[in-house]
Amino acid sequence: MINPLRGMKDLIFEDSQKFEYIIATASKIARNYGYSYIETPILEETALFKRSVGESSDIVGKEMYQFMDKGENDVCMRPEGTAGVVRAFISNKLDRQDANYRFYYYGSMFRYERPQKGRLRSFHQFGCESFGEGSVYEDFMLISMIKDIFDALQIDFSLNINSLGCSDCMPLYRTKLVSFLENIKDDLCEDCNRRIATNPIRVLDCKNEKCQILLQASPKLINNLCGSCDSDFTKLQTLLNEACISYEVDTNLVRGLDYYNKTAFEFISNNIGSQSAIAGGGRYDRLVEFLDGKSTPAVGFALGIERIMDLVILPESKREGLYLGGMNEESINSLLQIARKQLEVQKVTMEYKPKSLKAHLKSADKAGARTIGIIGDDELSNGTIWMKDLETKEEKTININEMLSL
Ligand code: HAM
């Protein structure tokens, strides 16, 4: 027997229903916020992810599904959605238009991580990316959208925010941080020591408890922001307070992808174990230019669908549609005609094999049908079909020709 690869799983029955429900709910809300659907390829040039997510990130350094294709192109299965959407934004020359563009997407992402609960190698994200709007109001609106999505799905969350500064204040802060880290490096873990040289900001994100204690005394970026970053971060907090959206400022929130600046945020659930981030995002004002487009401010987020599936409860499904069955072989032609007509207006479940009324009623119940239509021997000779509404229990016998000519 061939099983799915480690860290990958099929979404089937209740899982696939949850998946559709989450995507439908999030898509509707995103469209209300002015986002339109975008679909980009799963496979992209490896260089795209190296240049956007960053060579020093774990995603690019350790987790990429990367290979040479038959044409000797170095390609990669997308580990996240932002890079592809930014690439599409530039490829379609939207960076040349003086306009705002807002896109939403969903689909499979691939990261060769160590699988555990809530951490898969093939997983799904729903994401939104907004281009052209540099104002912090847009950051607020995105956070507000995520809150609306979680409220609609009845999921509790806590929100952590931080500012990662900009090209004015970040380099000065980085220098300060590196000199602090150099002084304590003998006591920091191996990963931290490697990151001091490659990406010192990520040291703040170390999960090692001993490192975290030592890092408590580190200089904080939010105390070293330039005037513009500081006023935007203050404004974001004012907007969240006014909208009664609770949050905490987490000065260690740096995100695992290199493209962020200014606002960074994560939504956390306390009900799904250690892999608790259910959404993450932030501003990435330099990425479009970095990928050879025209400088364009941008901000976005992605939700982790599988983690949300562990939290969501499906609304009770209502009976819907028509179940059709016969008690004799001869009724099949009429049933097929009725089915094809009824499919224009409702869901139809059809049983091809003749069965007793009792067996059909059982199957109709299992199929969740609202109405059952049966052709027995009497109905066959009269050219009629017996119908019953399984909710109101109302019954009637209808002439098949009349039904087909409606
Ligand atoms: P991210 O934080 O890497 O951000 O991923 C977003 C969400 O995807 C996480 O919060 C988590 O719920 C889910 N996720 C990540 N890795 C896994 C995994 N191995 N298994 C299951 N779920 C996972 C991004 O990907 C950015 N592109 C978000 C963004 C969009 N920033 C700006 N625009």
Side-chain angles (χ1 to χ4, degrees):
M1 188 174 58
I2 301 176
N3 287 316
L5 297 173
R6 191 160 123 80
M8 308 202 175
K9 65 175 189 182
D10 306 309
L11 299 183
I12 184 167
F13 301 131
E14 198 185 338
D15 277 350
S16 56
Q17 282 172 20
K18 283 186 175 177
F19 180 86
E20 282 190 313
Y21 173 57
I22 295 165
I23 298 299
T25 306
S27 303
K28 181 167 183 290
I29 292 172
R31 284 194 295 271
N32 285 355
Y33 273 79
Y35 285 72
S36 56
Y37 182 65
I38 187 168
E39 175 77 33
T40 65
I42 286 175
L43 210 56
E44 297 269 5
E45 266 182 50
T46 299
L48 172 66
F49 302 110
K50 285 194 173 166
R51 284 170 63 186
S52 54
V53 176
E55 302 243 23
S56 66
S57 67
D58 284 350
I59 295 179
V60 169
K62 304 182 194 163
E63 298 167 3
M64 299 245 274
Y65 276 88
Q66 181 186 354
F67 57 94
M68 300 303 281
D69 73 6
K70 291 196 169 89
E72 292 297 300
N73 303 299
D74 188 352
V75 295
C76 183
M77 314 262 280
R78 64 183 177 197
E80 57 101 56
T82 310
V85 175
V86 173
R87 202 260 319 119
F89 176 74
I90 302 167
S91 303
N92 288 282
K93 301 195 171 45
L94 303 181
D95 56 328
R96 312 275 140 174
Q97 322 290 322
D98 197 12
N100 292 350
Y101 289 93
R102 297 183 175 91
F103 297 112
Y104 75 91
Y105 55 90
Y106 54 89
S108 302
M109 309 291 155
F110 301 86
R111 296 184 191 176
Y112 197 84
E113 295 192 77
R114 193 173 49 77
Q116 66 176 87
K117 182 172 158 39
R119 188 161 71 191
L120 292 148
R121 289 181 173 169
S122 165
F123 61 100
H124 297 83
Q125 287 184 344
F126 174 94
C128 284
E129 313 293 349
S130 161
F131 296 97
E133 185 50 79
S135 129
V136 71
Y137 288 107
E138 191 74 349
D139 310 19
F140 165 73
M141 286 302 269
L142 277 174
I143 292 175
S144 156
M145 189 201 311
I146 305 170
K147 178 193 164 7
D148 286 354
I149 293 172
F150 287 148
D151 284 353
L153 296 170
Q154 301 189 337
I155 286 174
D156 291 335
F157 62 83
S158 51
L159 165 63
N160 294 333
I161 60 169
N162 194 17
S163 174
L164 299 176
C166 66
S167 50
D168 283 340
C169 47
M170 179 51 107
L172 295 173
Y173 169 71
R174 191 182 289 119
T175 313
K176 265 193 197 179
L177 180 65
V178 169
S179 60
F180 170 84
L181 296 174
E182 289 289 350
N183 282 331
I184 58 165
K185 76 177 191 193
D186 292 345
D187 298 316
L188 291 173
C189 73
E190 221 176 278
D191 263 357
C192 284
N193 268 282
R194 193 172 35 81
R195 283 181 176 145
I196 295 175
T198 56
N199 191 352
I201 311 296
R202 290 274 344 256
V203 173
L204 299 173
D205 194 27
C206 180
K207 300 289 176 272
N208 183 314
E209 257 176 53
K210 198 176 143 218
C211 296
Q212 270 311 324
I213 292 168
L214 291 166
L215 290 167
Q216 274 168 12
S218 65
K220 304 293 177 227
L221 180 54
I222 54 163
N223 300 327
N224 290 273
L225 293 174
C226 64
S228 145
C229 288
D230 192 43
S231 83
D232 275 358
F233 195 50
T234 308
K235 180 76 187 171
L236 177 64
Q237 293 177 65
T238 309
L239 291 168
L240 291 171
N241 291 335
E242 282 169 2
C244 299
I245 302 178
S246 322
Y247 62 89
E248 263 183 47
V249 174
D250 176 357
T251 52
N252 287 346
L253 173 64
V254 296
R255 311 272 302 125
L257 307 97
D258 288 356
Y259 48 63
Y260 292 110
N261 66 314
K262 291 200 167 183
T263 308
F265 53 83
E266 257 172 21
F267 284 72
I268 306 293
S269 164
N270 294 323
N271 305 318
I272 45 169
S274 68
Q275 298 304 306
S276 57
I278 48 176
R283 199 158 258 293
Y284 52 94
D285 292 329
R286 288 158 307 171
L287 186 56
V288 175
E289 194 177 3
F290 201 63
L291 293 176
D292 306 326
K294 190 173 149 215
S295 173
T296 308
V299 56
F301 72 85
L303 314 176
I305 303 298
E306 278 78 1
R307 292 184 192 173
I308 295 170
M309 278 165 52
D310 282 346
L311 295 163
V312 89
I313 296 171
L314 280 173
E316 227 171 86
S317 63
K318 293 199 191 82
R319 292 193 160 278
E320 62 159 339
L322 171 66
Y323 173 97
L324 288 173
M327 292 164 68
N328 42 54
E329 291 283 356
E330 295 78 7
S331 55
I332 187 76
N333 279 343
S334 301
L335 288 168
L336 278 173
Q337 277 179 291
I338 295 168
R340 295 192 59 235
K341 182 79 185 167
Q342 287 298 311
L343 277 165
E344 292 168 14
V345 290
Q346 64 177 327
K347 173 180 162 185
V348 176
T349 310
M350 195 172 153
E351 174 58 66
Y352 306 122
K353 276 203 288 304
K355 289 199 221 174
S356 70
L357 178 61
K358 198 173 161 206
H360 277 310
L361 280 165
K362 211 169 152 191
S363 306
D365 196 48
K366 205 170 161 201
R370 167 79 193 247
T371 320
I372 184 167
I374 300 293
I375 302 183
D377 293 343
D378 287 353
E379 287 81 12
L380 186 68
S381 49
N382 297 336
T384 57
I385 178 165
W386 172 81
M387 311 272 290
K388 181 172 181 180
D389 185 317
L390 295 172
E391 237 166 57
T392 63
K393 310 291 177 211
E394 195 190 323
E395 292 179 33
K396 56 188 172 197
T397 301
I398 303 176
N399 181 291
I400 292 176
N401 283 338
E402 272 173 30
M403 196 176 178
L404 292 175
S405 63
L406 279 179

